[in-house]
Amino acid sequence: MSQSMRHKVISKGGGLIIPADIRRQYNFLSGAAVDIAVKDGCILVSQHTPRCIFCNNHEGVGKHMDRYVCKACVTAMVKDVGTIG
């Protein structure tokens, strides 16, 4: 078993505690948002990356009214709104 491999039990509520030394090593702060993905049968946990609510892009993303939108989608929306009425 590798040094970073640990045996943990998932709680009844579905929670999983990441050991403190691993959280410190990878800078996962208490209360921080994370992204969870599944790849090749493995669950991956990484620092949260804000993504556009329309296209899921993570580049050029800004926050507006508590939602993340990328510059490409903002440009497309301005273009579309400009053609209305």
Side-chain angles (χ1 to χ4, degrees):
M1 200 181 298
S2 74
Q3 186 177 10
S4 62
M5 174 115 17
R6 309 282 170 78
H7 172 82
K8 301 302 281 180
V9 176
I10 298 173
S11 72
K12 289 180 183 180
L16 181 67
I17 296 174
I18 300 172
D21 60 319
I22 294 174
R23 292 194 317 266
R24 281 191 297 271
Q25 180 179 353
Y26 293 98
N27 200 30
F28 287 104
L29 304 175
S30 177
V34 297
D35 292 330
I36 300 173
V38 177
K39 183 177 180 181
D40 298 329
C42 295
I43 299 171
L44 306 173
V45 179
S46 59
Q47 299 286 343
H48 174 64
T49 302
R51 294 184 175 275
C52 177
I53 61 170
F54 298 108
C55 69
N56 208 32
N57 187 8
H58 63 85
E59 295 178 4
V61 174
K63 193 172 186 180
H64 177 68
M65 297 178 71
D66 291 326
R67 301 288 190 255
Y68 292 100
V69 183
C70 74
K71 290 180 182 180
C73 287
V74 169
T75 300
M77 284 187 281
V78 168
K79 190 176 183 180
D80 290 346
V81 170
T83 63
I84 295 175

